[in-house]
């Protein structure tokens, strides 16, 4: 087991005032966060099983805003059969 910490620049995903201040497209940001979560579940088969607003930051740089996913201390690893079964739910 390893405990790793890293400082991630950003502000809370739910801070509407700062999202507006930085001109963040909230729909695009939500789509990026959803895409990251879907990749974890459907492609990799390992995902954060404790997602909540406190584990999601918005990081703004010169050209875009990116979601920062935090706290992967509680993850679930799917078997290949489970991962494929979740994929089949979408088709």
């Amino acid at each position: 087991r390893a405990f790793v910490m890293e400082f991630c620049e950003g502000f809370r995903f739910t801070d509407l005032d700062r999202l507006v201040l930085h001109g963040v497209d909230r729909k695009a940001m939500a789509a990026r966060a959803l895409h990251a979560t879907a990749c974890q579940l459907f492609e990799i088969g390992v995902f954060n099983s404790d997602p909540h607003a406190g584990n999601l930051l918005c990081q703004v740089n010169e050209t875009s805003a990116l979601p920062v996913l935090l706290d992967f201390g509680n993850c679930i690893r799917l078997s290949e059969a489970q991962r494929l079964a979740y994929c089949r739910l979408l088709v």
Side-chain angles (χ1 to χ4, degrees):
R1 293 194 173 259
F3 181 74
V4 178
M5 290 183 64
E6 177 182 348
F7 177 77
C8 295
E9 189 70 45
F11 55 90
R12 289 197 180 260
F13 209 70
T14 55
D15 189 338
L16 298 180
D17 292 334
R18 289 186 75 182
L19 291 170
V20 170
L21 177 69
H22 291 285
V24 174
D25 180 341
R26 292 186 295 172
K27 286 186 180 182
M29 175 64 74
R32 285 185 181 117
L34 179 60
H35 182 262
T37 302
C39 286
Q40 290 174 43
L41 179 62
F42 300 121
E43 292 180 24
I44 302 168
V46 176
F47 63 97
N48 183 342
S49 60
D50 185 27
H52 55 80
N55 286 343
L56 192 55
L57 296 179
C58 176
Q59 187 176 78
V60 178
N61 61 32
E62 302 83 35
T63 58
S64 64
L66 302 171
V68 178
L69 307 173
L70 304 172
D71 190 4
F72 284 82
N74 194 16
C75 289
I76 291 177
R77 180 178 302 275
L78 301 174
S79 69
E80 185 67 5
Q82 289 172 316
R83 186 187 70 76
L84 291 174
Y86 278 111
C87 291
R88 282 192 289 278
L89 287 174
L90 296 179
V91 257

